[in-house]
Amino acid sequence: MQKRVNRYLIISQLILFIGLGICIVLIPGYLFKKNEAGVSNYGVHFKTVIPYSLAFLMCAIYVFRGALLIPLKAVVLVQLRRVLFMFSIILIVALLTTYTYKINNVCKDIHIGMAIATFCFEIIVAFWLCYRVHKDKLNLGLLAVQLLAFTVAALTLFGVLRLLFATQLLTSLMFGIILIRSSAAALKELK
């Protein structure tokens, strides 16, 4: 069971980043232009909508599948299971709001709100994972990088910087690694 949960979480993150990598290869401009756009721009282009959509959808499915396998034997595992369920829902909602965000300002505001909620969820959960579930030097270092990227993302939101795409990738990557490592550590405690 522990190995299957870990495998599902690893697969979820690999699918997400391979899908986004394919999008970057197909349309590299979002990552390399001076005024970076967000990752969700890949969800509205014909050329990248399929790998983008599959990346988010399959990531959510594998996170959900991992959550279903977590036994409810300890409080931290119950909490971890809830976090994984919430994360899979956030991924789906973020994906769905991508398709409509260019229709009008209301849809754009909903999507931006969802992006902000995703950033906040990931940073709060990363803190919880690092301090409640698996506190070690590597997790704390990953959290520090995630916090730096989160800060740059906030400065981008307020118009001080223009590094949205890079910060989205970096915060998601750090969160994914922390999630995988911490979940494995929590499940190992059962042995």
Side-chain angles (χ1 to χ4, degrees):
M1 176 271 317
Q2 172 199 349
K3 288 181 181 179
R4 284 179 59 202
V5 172
N6 212 25
R7 187 175 346 126
Y8 285 158
L9 293 179
I10 291 168
I11 290 169
S12 76
Q13 297 307 296
L14 286 173
I15 288 172
L16 179 64
F17 284 96
I18 289 170
L20 292 176
I22 291 168
C23 291
I24 292 168
V25 169
L26 293 172
I27 304 176
Y30 292 127
L31 182 58
F32 299 113
K33 69 183 190 180
K34 186 177 180 181
N35 185 4
E36 284 189 9
V39 170
S40 56
N41 282 290
Y42 289 128
V44 295
H45 284 285
F46 179 75
K47 201 174 188 179
T48 55
V49 69
I50 291 174
Y52 175 86
S53 298
L54 287 174
F56 274 81
L57 180 62
M58 295 307 295
C59 179
I61 288 170
Y62 275 96
V63 169
F64 189 84
R65 287 178 74 184
L68 289 173
L69 294 174
I70 294 177
L72 304 175
K73 293 183 178 180
V75 173
V76 73
L77 293 177
V78 172
Q79 293 169 340
L80 178 61
R81 186 176 180 164
R82 287 182 188 150
V83 161
L84 293 176
F85 283 139
M86 285 189 289
F87 184 47
S88 63
I89 291 167
I90 284 172
L91 288 167
I92 296 295
V93 174
L95 175 62
L96 293 175
T97 64
T98 295
Y99 301 133
T100 59
Y101 88 95
K102 290 201 174 193
I103 292 175
N104 58 40
N105 283 338
V106 173
C107 291
K108 181 180 178 181
D109 290 343
I110 290 169
H111 180 66
I112 290 171
M114 193 60 224
I116 292 168
T118 302
F119 267 114
C120 292
F121 174 84
E122 288 181 349
I123 202 75
I124 290 166
V125 170
F127 265 104
W128 176 74
L129 290 169
C130 288
Y131 286 96
R132 173 74 171 92
V133 180
H134 186 59
K135 186 176 184 179
D136 71 355
K137 288 181 182 180
L138 180 55
N139 261 9
L140 293 175
L142 295 166
L143 179 62
V145 173
Q146 185 182 3
L147 276 170
L148 177 62
F150 181 83
T151 303
V152 173
L155 292 172
T156 297
L157 179 67
F158 295 115
V160 177
L161 296 173
R162 295 283 179 232
L163 293 169
L164 182 59
F165 191 97
T167 59
Q168 285 176 317
L169 289 179
L170 194 55
T171 56
S172 292
L173 180 62
M174 296 302 107
F175 175 73
I177 296 169
I178 292 168
L179 181 66
I180 291 165
R181 294 184 81 250
S182 300
S183 297
L187 290 163
K188 192 180 270 188
E189 298 287 321
L190 290 177
K191 288 185 172 183

